[in-house]
């Protein structure tokens, strides 16, 4: 469950998830490893780095007049850090006609965020971009939106995109099995968020049963 939820930036806040603690109060909780943005994690998106670069180039071609931006995209490794830098550079040079604001937001979702925004947030963003606020404020709203920053926090030094299809799946190894047991033990005894009253073995079995392994990919 945590793998799925933390892989969607609209469902968590820098790795935090809402949960009820043992005293019955609703609090934000996150695993210790979520504090470390330099760890290699499961890719966030099921598209390749090249596909992600092509998406960014498409929006640059449509809303920016500088052809040199395509070279900048190709030069980037597209780690979380370099991807954010590229997006910031893109936002600086784009021009959004007032009559194309809604289409731009749709393009931004599809080609930059690579996921959908919550409907209310999307509506507020459209209203902001159509308002009389300064250009700087409007562009700042694009590069500081929580969903984009959540994506960057997921993987700072590595690419959030896959290199090949199998990257989306996890290799079944002894180390993974050991970490599975350790994770179940930590969830049972050290996580304040209470989701299910299960034993360590039951939690471990639940994690195991919801993990997609590479050797189980259907051809």
């Amino acid at each position: 469950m945590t793998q799925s939820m933390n892989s969607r930036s609209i469902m968590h806040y820098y790795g935090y998830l809402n949960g009820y603690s043992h005293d019955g109060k609703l609090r934000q909780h996150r695993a210790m490893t979520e504090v470390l943005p330099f760890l290699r994690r499961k890719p966030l998106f099921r598209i390749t780095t090249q596909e992600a670069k092509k998406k960014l180039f498409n929006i640059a071609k449509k809303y920016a007049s500088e052809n040199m931006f395509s070279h900048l995209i190709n030069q980037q490794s597209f780690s979380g850090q370099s991807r954010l830098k590229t997006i910031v550079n893109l936002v600086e040079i784009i021009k959004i006609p007032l009559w194309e604001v809604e289409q731009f937001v749709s393009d931004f979702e599809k080609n930059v965020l690579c996921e959908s925004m919550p409907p209310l947030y999307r509506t507020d963003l459209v209203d902001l971009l159509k308002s009389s606020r300064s250009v700087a404020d409007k562009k700042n709203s694009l590069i500081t939106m929580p969903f984009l920053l959540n994506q960057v926090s997921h993987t700072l030094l590595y690419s959030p995109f896959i290199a090949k299809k199998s990257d989306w799946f996890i290799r079944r190894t002894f180390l993974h099995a050991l970490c599975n047991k350790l994770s179940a033990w930590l969830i049972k005894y050290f996580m304040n968020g209470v989701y299910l009253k299960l034993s360590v073995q039951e939690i471990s079995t639940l994690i195991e049963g919801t993990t997609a392994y590479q050797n189980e990919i259907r051809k």
Side-chain angles (χ1 to χ4, degrees):
M1 180 172 64
T2 54
Q3 286 187 49
S4 176
M5 294 181 74
N6 279 2
S7 291
R8 298 186 62 191
S9 63
I10 66 171
M11 298 181 71
H12 72 91
Y13 179 74
Y14 297 108
Y16 283 101
L17 297 172
N18 286 328
Y20 286 98
S21 59
H22 292 292
D23 58 9
K25 295 182 179 180
L26 183 65
R27 292 192 175 95
Q28 289 185 326
H29 308 275
R30 68 176 175 180
M32 291 181 290
T33 53
E34 291 293 334
V35 184
L36 308 174
F38 52 81
L39 294 178
R40 183 184 290 275
R41 292 186 172 91
K42 177 181 176 180
L44 191 59
F45 303 104
R46 291 194 183 193
I47 61 175
T48 65
T49 300
Q50 284 304 117
E51 289 173 329
K53 288 183 177 182
K54 184 177 180 181
K55 283 176 173 288
L56 209 56
F57 174 73
N58 287 339
I59 197 170
K61 184 178 179 181
K62 186 173 182 179
Y63 297 100
S65 58
E66 298 185 22
N67 295 327
M68 291 298 293
F69 190 77
S70 61
H71 299 290
L72 176 63
I73 295 176
N74 289 328
Q75 291 172 358
Q76 297 298 323
S77 64
F78 254 42
S79 64
Q81 187 177 26
S82 69
R83 174 173 172 252
L84 178 61
K85 180 180 178 181
T86 305
I87 293 172
V88 170
N89 291 334
L90 170 63
V91 170
E92 287 179 351
I93 63 174
I94 59 174
K95 296 179 180 179
I96 313 168
L98 184 61
W99 56 89
E100 291 187 10
V101 166
E102 293 189 13
Q103 181 59 51
F104 168 78
V105 172
S106 296
D107 291 337
F108 195 85
E109 282 182 307
K110 178 181 178 181
N111 297 307
V112 179
L113 291 181
C114 300
E115 62 179 345
S116 299
M117 305 178 201
L120 290 178
Y121 189 95
R122 189 183 193 281
T123 299
D124 290 342
L125 179 60
V126 169
D127 291 341
L128 173 63
L129 295 178
K130 286 183 176 181
S131 71
S132 58
R133 297 275 293 274
S134 68
V135 174
D137 286 344
K138 293 177 180 180
K139 292 191 174 184
N140 187 60
S141 69
L142 295 174
I143 61 177
T144 60
M145 62 173 54
F147 322 112
L148 178 59
L149 299 182
N150 273 349
Q151 292 176 5
V152 175
S153 72
H154 174 272
T155 309
L156 185 63
L157 302 180
Y158 301 97
S159 175
F161 304 100
I162 61 176
K164 54 185 183 299
K165 181 180 178 181
S166 60
D167 289 347
W168 182 257
F169 301 90
I170 297 173
R171 288 183 296 174
R172 188 189 291 274
T173 63
F174 172 77
L175 180 60
H176 181 269
L178 183 63
C179 290
N180 185 333
K181 298 290 185 182
L182 177 61
S183 297
W185 182 71
L186 290 172
I187 290 172
K188 176 66 176 179
Y189 295 109
F190 290 93
M191 290 292 290
N192 290 326
V194 178
Y195 299 101
L196 297 171
K197 293 183 179 180
L198 301 174
S199 67
V200 172
Q201 182 56 47
E202 287 173 327
I203 295 173
S204 177
T205 300
L206 184 61
I207 296 174
E208 177 75 12
T210 55
T211 300
Y213 293 101
Q214 288 186 10
N215 59 345
E216 296 172 357
I217 302 174
R218 293 183 178 180
K219 303 295 184 181

